[in-house]
């Protein structure tokens, strides 16, 4: 288990790196900006001092060298001086397949296909709300996953193909970079539901791509089997491509998808409530005691039940007994959600009134910090925060949502609040 | 104080800040970007921009960190390729061998990655992290919370 101390110790190892002395370079760059003699009194638009970047020159020279090499190679190949090995584009013969029958049909809720799988497989349908983002390694939420339990996991996803026909190869290479070392044109052909595509067989992974109805489909088999290609072909033979049924995130209101996805119930073992969720719940491991814990204590995250939806929204919840004789509004402002600590700066007494499970409460919506220069954005989804506080059975409940800005964020939060049942009598901590 | 003297003071102050703080900044950016050249470029550019602004910057120490992180982020965006594990063969990179940690850190989204580095490596409190990233404390805490959970998942196997 990685602890906070482990991380500090391991990060401290960075101190062994020797940083270069850049001061001369800095002065050159500053001189290029023409500024060391005229300090600016007002913020100015940033113009990068690229004129002194040694890397730019190196990159340019490398690019020129590469271009020359490519031209020379092309001339050599074209003239017959060099013969490239022929590429076998025929699929390998299927091996003996020891795999259960694919008898049950799964229809993707967002990706526009159906597939058959063994009865025993575990399914994780794609999360409609967030779409599939091939550039985001964490974004399995837009991918349908069939876990067979037999050293083979089949995944399927799709997105709108670029309208510019000429970009399809580059687009595909972005999605499956490298293709096990083979460029798109060197990969084998495959046909899925009558559509031609490409297939790449990498160690422990097979990727196939087809385009249908303006959508690009990626089907992947993660495996540890010697007959993986046969397993893949068996799955692929059952696929029906229905691009007309695909739903991209912009096609579906976020709150609709939230309601569709929240089907499981989490009962807090600690704090006296339950709520619906889709996946990704982590119960609190420590007790939240806001009156005695500083707000910027990193360990706070262990004190909340958390729901990392994987769809750009992160919920937290906890409750605590209200001290005797305090004003709820003042106590919340001082210890729970101080206005000064957030971007919305609204005292609880002035916040919008809401109701959670029939109990009156307050809600504060704090938008994420905008960034005026996208090129320099640290995090384009600087999270906004929504806090709701409600009192029930002598306890103060705090429900929070951290999310990027967007029209559906408040609706998403409201949809989540609607699933909450307050049961202060079941709280396990005083 | 005349303007010429103010310029000298500003430059000497900035150089003093550089001598005291830039190595740590460079390492933090290296951990963030996974590339020594990006780290050097971002640190040099941030300090050059700081020199350009001189006394107009109210909190130079925070400003230069914020700028360096933003510049490195912009550079990563412009390169638009995955952040691979370090491949720099120079000796100062070889001296640091915890590639598992760096690979795990680089698997985090930008905001989480920056917050984790500033918290665990630079040892800043949340409020200062917010200052240096140009965001608020609640957002930093959320990023740290999510980043730490993800790091636990990624590093769990290695720490048995």
């Amino acid at each position: 288990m990685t602890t906070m101390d482990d991380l500090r110790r391991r990060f401290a190892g960075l101190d062994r790196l020797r940083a270069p002395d850049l001061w001369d370079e800095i002065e050159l760059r500053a001189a290029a900006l023409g500024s060391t003699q005229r300090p600016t009194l007002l913020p100015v638009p940033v113009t990068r001092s690229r004129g002194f970047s040694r890397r730019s020159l190196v990159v340019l020279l490398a690019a020129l060298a590469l271009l020359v090499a490519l031209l020379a190679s092309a001339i050599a190949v074209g003239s017959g001086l060099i013969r490239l090995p022929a590429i076998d584009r025929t699929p390998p013969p299927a091996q003996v397949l020891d795999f259960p029958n694919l008898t049950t049909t799964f229809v993707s809720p967002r990706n526009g296909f159906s597939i058959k799988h063994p009865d025993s497989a575990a399914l994780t349908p794609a999360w409609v709300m967030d779409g599939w983002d091939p550039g985001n390694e964490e974004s399995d939420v837009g991918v349908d996953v069939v876990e067979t339990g037999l050293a083979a996991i089949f995944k399927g996803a799709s997105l709108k193909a670029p309208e510019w026909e000429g970009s399809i190869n580059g687009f595909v290479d972005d999605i499956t970079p490298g293709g096990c070392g083979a460029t798109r044109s060197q990969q084998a052909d495959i046909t899925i539901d009558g559509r031609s595509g490409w297939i790449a067989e990498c160690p422990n992974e097979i990727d196939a791509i087809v385009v249908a109805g303006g959508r690009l489909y990626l089907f992947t088999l993660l495996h540890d089997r010697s007959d993986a290609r046969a397993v893949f072909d068996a799955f692929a033979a059952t696929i029906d491509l229905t691009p007309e049924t695909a739903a991209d995130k912009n096609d579906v209101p976020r709150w609709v998808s939230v309601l569709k996805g929240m089907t499981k119930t989490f009962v807090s073992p600690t704090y006296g409530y339950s709520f619906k969720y889709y996946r990704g719940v982590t119960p609190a491991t420590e007790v939240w005691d806001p009156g005695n814990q500083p707000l910027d204590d990193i360990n706070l995250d262990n004190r909340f039940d958390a729901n990392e939806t994987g769809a750009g929204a992160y919920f937290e919840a906890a409750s605590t007994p209200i001290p005797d004789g305090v004003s709820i509004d003042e106590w919340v402002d001082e210890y729970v959600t101080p206005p000064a600590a957030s971007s919305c700066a609204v005292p609880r007494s002035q916040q919008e009134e809401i109701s959670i499970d029939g109990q009156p409460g307050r809600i504060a919506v704090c938008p994420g910090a905008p960034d005026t220069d996208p090129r320099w954005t640290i995090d384009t989804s600087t999270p906004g925060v929504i806090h709701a506080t409600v009192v029930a059975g002598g306890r103060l409940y705090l429900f929070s949502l951290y999310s990027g800005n967007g029209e559906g964020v408040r609706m998403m939060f409201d949809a989540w609040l609607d699933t909450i049942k307050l049961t202060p009598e079941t709280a396990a901590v005083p | 104080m005349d303007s010429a003297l103010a310029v000298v003071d500003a430059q000497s102050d900035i150089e003093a800040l550089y001598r005291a703080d830039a190595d740590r900044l460079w390492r933090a950016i290296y951990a963030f970007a996974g590339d020594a050249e990006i780290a050097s470029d971002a640190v040099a550019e941030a300090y050059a921009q700081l020199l350009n602004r001189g006394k107009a910057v109210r909190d130079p120490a925070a400003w230069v960190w914020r700028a360096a992180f933003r510049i490195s982020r912009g550079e990563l965006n412009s390169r638009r390729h995955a952040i691979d594990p370090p491949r720099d063969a120079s000796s100062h990179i070889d001296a640091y061998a915890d590639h598992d940690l760096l690979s795990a850190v680089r698997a985090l989204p930008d905001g989480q990655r920056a917050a984790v580095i500033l918290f665990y490596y630079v040892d800043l409190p949340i409020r200062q992290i917010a200052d240096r990233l140009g965001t608020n404390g609640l957002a930093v805490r959320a990023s740290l919370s999510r980043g730490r959970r993800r790091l636990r998942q990624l590093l769990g196997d290695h720490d048995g």
Side-chain angles (χ1 to χ4, degrees), chain B:
Chain B
M1 181 181 297
D2 65 29
S3 57
L5 190 55
V7 170
V8 171
D9 283 352
Q11 181 154 356
S12 61
D13 287 351
I14 291 169
E15 182 169 4
L17 174 66
Y18 174 85
R19 297 297 173 200
D21 194 44
D23 282 3
R24 181 156 272 231
L25 172 60
W26 186 91
R27 294 180 191 115
I29 298 295
Y30 172 73
F32 177 78
D35 186 301
E37 281 199 8
I38 290 180
S40 296
D41 185 44
V43 172
E45 185 69 20
Y47 269 93
Q49 297 284 349
L50 181 60
L51 278 175
N52 185 39
R53 285 161 169 75
K55 292 287 189 184
V57 176
R58 190 161 42 94
D59 184 353
W63 189 95
V64 78
W65 277 72
R66 189 159 58 241
F69 268 96
R70 290 186 172 189
I71 292 167
S72 62
R73 174 60 182 149
E75 194 65 35
L76 287 172
N77 276 342
S78 68
R79 291 189 177 191
R80 200 178 174 276
H81 58 60
I83 306 167
D84 297 325
R87 286 171 295 187
D88 192 323
S90 59
S91 58
H92 65 268
I93 302 300
D94 288 343
Y96 181 62
D98 197 347
H99 295 306
D100 287 345
L101 176 66
L102 292 184
S103 295
V105 168
R106 285 166 197 150
L108 302 178
D110 293 340
Q112 293 176 27
R113 192 159 77 247
V116 162
I117 291 167
L118 290 176
F119 185 79
Y120 286 110
Y121 173 59
V122 188
D123 209 19
L124 292 177
I126 285 176
R127 185 163 298 180
Q128 286 189 32
I129 294 174
D131 288 344
R132 295 194 179 194
L133 295 182
T135 181
N136 63 59
L138 290 172
V140 169
R141 197 174 65 72
S143 291
L144 272 176
S145 175
R146 302 166 83 172
R148 186 163 71 164
R149 285 178 202 277
R150 181 77 176 132
L151 276 183
R152 280 175 172 164
Q153 293 171 356
L154 292 169
L155 295 171
D157 292 342
H158 299 289
D159 291 351

Side-chain angles (χ1 to χ4, degrees), chain A residues 202-423:
Chain A
C202 315
N204 301 115
E205 180 173 342
I206 296 175
D207 293 326
I209 282 183
V210 293
V211 178
R215 296 190 72 79
L216 185 147
Y217 288 82
L218 172 64
F219 297 104
T220 297
L221 183 72
L222 304 176
H223 66 84
D224 187 16
R225 299 177 61 99
S226 59
D227 60 351
R229 177 58 192 266
V231 171
F232 184 92
D233 289 343
F235 271 111
T238 72
I239 291 174
D240 282 327
L241 302 176
T242 55
E244 67 281 5
T245 68
D248 285 304
K249 63 178 178 180
N250 294 331
D251 299 336
V252 181
R254 292 169 74 87
W255 63 274
V256 171
S257 302
V258 168
L259 291 178
K260 279 186 178 177
M262 289 180 171
T263 56
K264 302 172 192 169
T265 300
F266 170 74
V267 179
S268 173
T270 311
Y271 291 126
Y273 55 75
S274 66
F275 58 76
K276 298 280 190 182
Y277 73 104
Y278 175 63
R279 64 182 180 192
V281 168
T282 306
T285 56
E286 299 176 17
V287 175
W288 182 49
D289 181 10
N292 295 298
Q293 293 163 346
L295 269 173
D296 60 358
D297 184 348
I298 178 58
N299 285 318
L300 271 175
D301 68 302
N302 294 329
R303 297 163 189 158
F304 290 89
D305 296 323
N307 183 13
E308 175 68 88
T309 67
Y314 179 69
F315 295 112
E316 282 186 343
S319 72
T320 188
I322 300 169
D324 292 336
V326 300
S327 153
I328 298 295
D329 289 345
E330 292 174 5
W331 187 71
V332 168
D333 284 346
E334 183 166 1
Y335 294 108
V336 180
T337 56
S342 67
S343 53
C344 53
V346 179
R348 187 173 190 270
S349 61
Q350 299 172 26
Q351 293 171 5
E352 175 188 341
E353 296 181 356
I354 57 163
S355 173
I356 299 177
D357 194 21
Q359 300 298 314
R362 299 279 186 168
I363 186 168
V365 180
C366 313
D371 201 311
T372 55
D373 185 345
R375 191 179 61 113
W376 278 18
T377 296
I378 293 270
D379 181 0
T380 53
S381 60
T382 300
V385 183
I386 304 178
H387 293 303
T389 50
V390 63
V391 176
R395 301 183 71 82
L396 184 284
Y397 287 81
L398 172 64
F399 299 101
S400 303
L401 166 67
Y402 299 88
S403 177
N405 295 313
E407 293 180 1
V409 173
R410 174 63 191 271
M411 285 188 286
M412 187 161 46
F413 190 62
D414 289 344
W416 183 56
L417 293 185
D418 283 345
T419 73
I420 291 171
K421 302 295 180 193
L422 303 175
T423 55

